[in-house]
């Protein structure tokens, strides 16, 4: 199986409705015909009735339209996922799992459950089951599925809050995290007992001001806590993100393949310290072609992560 291509999710616009309707017809027609429910006019009406640019995102691969997904508030609380369509030529490459993983991570961060409905007999049901959804109700046409909110995380320690602030700052400096993530980390640091005038000023920054103010507020707030500010776009920021990803893997938050994929997608082969993990990601793609086993590659990933974090 090929590795997923690089992708982004962008807010939908009103003129995306037609291409989302066209994509639904392409990917859903076979299942709807199997259930005796195929009606092109009704299918398009249902998309039009459900479509809302406020809650819908379009999936772009290399800048081209490749799919859509809607995540709206659910009437029972939490989030409702629907209209998750992926262009046929991109299916089977792990792209759907990557997108779903991000959407569920956002729901988990907000402490919210997720509900959805799939057609009975759809292959998508297996995808959702692999990501923690269970069937709560089924009728001859639809299967209703539910994924609970995560259990409350253990209380954050001051040292964990400092580490999170450092990691979020590095991610922001590489363009991989929004300013609001840094502000949230500063607020968390205050809550668990870290303090200082620069940290308080950073935590008080509004999300709307973050794009301008973080360049001024972040360096003194980090220095006050004994942390390092990495200039925006610098190689030191990229290397800090790389170490943070390796640390997440060592803490059990990522599988070996998830680590190599994240590193490969973010850095390619352009960042020297990241290149060994990117090369190992290529080796995962060649499983069954060369003599190396998954266990051998996993062991190399562990060795490399320990080297990056200084825990070898």
């Amino acid at each position: 199986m090929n590795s997923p291509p690089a992708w982004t999710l962008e807010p939908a616009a009103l003129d995306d409705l037609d291409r989302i309707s066209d994509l639904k017809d392409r990917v859903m027609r076979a299942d709807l015909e199997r259930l005796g429910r195929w009606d092109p006019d009704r299918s398009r009406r249902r998309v039009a009735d459900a479509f809302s640019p406020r809650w819908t995102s379009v999936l772009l691969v290399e800048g081209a339209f490749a799919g859509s997904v809607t995540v709206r508030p659910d009437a029972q609380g939490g989030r409702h996922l629907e209209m998750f369509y992926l262009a046929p030529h991109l299916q089977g490459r792990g792209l759907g799992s990557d997108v779903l993983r991000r959407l569920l991570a956002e729901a988990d961060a907000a402490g919210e459950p997720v509900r959805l409905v799939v057609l009975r007999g759809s292959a998508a049901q297996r995808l959702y089951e692999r990501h923690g959804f269970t069937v709560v109700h089924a009728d001859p046409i639809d299967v209703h599925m539910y994924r609970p909110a995560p259990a409350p995380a253990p209380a954050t320690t001051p040292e964990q809050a400092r580490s999170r602030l450092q990691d979020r700052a590095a991610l922001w400096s590489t363009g991989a995290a929004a300013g609001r993530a840094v502000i949230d980390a500063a607020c968390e640091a205050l809550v668990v007992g870290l303090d200082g005038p620069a940290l308080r000023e950073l935590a008080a920054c509004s999300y709307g001001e973050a794009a301008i103010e973080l360049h001024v507020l972040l360096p003194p707030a980090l220095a006050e806590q004994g942390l390092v500010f990495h200039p925006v776009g610098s190689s030191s920021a990229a290397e800090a993100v790389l170490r943070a990803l390796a640390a997440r893997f060592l803490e059990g938050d990522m599988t070996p393949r998830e680590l190599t994929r994240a590193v490969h997608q973010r850095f390619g082969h352009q960042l020297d310290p990241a290149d060994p993990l990117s090369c190992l990601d290529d080796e995962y793609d060649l499983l069954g072609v060369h003599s190396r086993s998954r266990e051998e590659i996993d062991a190399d990933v562990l060795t490399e992560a320990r080297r990056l974090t200084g825990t070898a």
Side-chain angles (χ1 to χ4, degrees):
M1 182 181 72
N2 295 326
S3 60
W7 56 273
T8 59
L9 283 177
E10 303 291 343
L14 287 173
D15 58 6
D16 288 315
L17 176 58
D18 286 341
R19 57 183 181 176
I20 292 174
S21 294
D22 291 341
L23 180 58
K24 180 193 175 183
D25 288 351
R26 291 167 60 198
V27 301
M28 299 290 289
R29 179 169 180 171
D31 278 334
L32 289 167
E33 286 180 337
R34 172 176 53 80
L35 295 168
R37 302 285 291 182
W38 172 243
D39 180 330
D41 292 333
R42 180 175 62 186
S43 176
R44 288 179 171 266
R45 283 197 305 272
R46 294 191 68 173
V47 172
D49 290 344
F51 178 71
S52 168
R54 180 180 181 183
W55 306 116
T56 301
S57 299
V58 292
L59 175 66
L60 303 180
V61 172
E62 297 180 350
F65 175 77
S68 69
V69 64
T70 296
V71 183
R72 67 175 75 246
D74 189 273
Q76 301 178 63
R79 305 181 181 199
H80 189 91
L81 190 153
E82 60 188 3
M83 295 204 300
F84 188 10
Y85 309 132
L86 180 63
H89 72 282
L90 293 169
Q91 294 178 11
R93 299 176 58 182
L95 179 58
S97 289
D98 271 7
V99 176
L100 182 60
R101 192 177 293 111
R102 176 188 294 183
L103 298 174
L104 296 180
E106 292 172 353
D108 287 349
E112 295 182 341
V114 182
R115 295 175 175 83
L116 57 83
V117 180
V118 295
L119 291 174
R120 180 182 284 273
S122 169
Q125 181 175 336
R126 295 190 295 275
L127 168 67
Y128 295 127
E129 288 172 341
R130 290 197 300 271
H131 287 271
F133 285 86
T134 57
V135 175
V136 295
H137 171 69
D139 58 39
I141 303 297
D142 294 321
V143 177
H144 297 252
M145 306 187 74
Y146 176 76
R147 183 180 184 271
T156 301
T157 67
E159 189 54 39
Q160 288 171 329
R162 288 181 75 257
S163 177
R164 187 145 35 232
L165 178 58
Q166 179 74 87
D167 292 348
R168 296 275 179 85
L171 286 166
W172 176 78
S173 290
T174 63
R180 63 184 298 164
V182 179
I183 295 169
D184 288 345
C187 292
E188 178 187 52
L190 288 175
V191 168
V192 301
L194 299 180
D195 200 5
L199 182 63
R200 290 196 297 271
E201 190 172 2
L202 174 61
C205 181
S206 71
Y207 291 157
E209 296 171 335
I212 298 174
E213 297 297 326
L214 251 60
H215 294 273
V216 176
L217 299 177
L218 187 54
L222 293 174
E224 188 177 69
Q225 302 301 318
L227 303 175
V228 179
F229 174 71
H230 300 283
V232 174
S234 66
S235 60
S236 67
E239 291 174 16
V241 171
L242 175 62
R243 289 192 296 271
L245 288 171
R248 283 187 56 199
F249 161 68
L250 293 175
E251 291 167 0
D253 291 340
M254 308 173 76
T255 66
R257 183 63 199 275
E258 286 173 340
L259 173 62
T260 62
R261 181 175 292 165
V263 170
H264 200 174
Q265 288 180 346
R266 190 178 302 278
F267 303 112
H269 294 277
Q270 307 307 310
L271 183 68
D272 288 345
D275 191 53
L277 287 175
S278 295
C279 290
L280 287 169
D281 192 54
D282 291 333
E283 291 200 40
Y284 280 116
D285 288 337
L286 296 173
L287 281 172
V289 177
H290 55 51
S291 60
R292 296 257 288 164
S293 68
R294 178 177 291 274
E295 290 72 20
E296 289 173 319
I297 303 174
D298 287 350
D300 286 350
V301 173
L302 178 60
T303 299
E304 186 60 23
R306 287 174 171 167
R307 185 190 67 79
L308 287 168
T309 58
T311 57

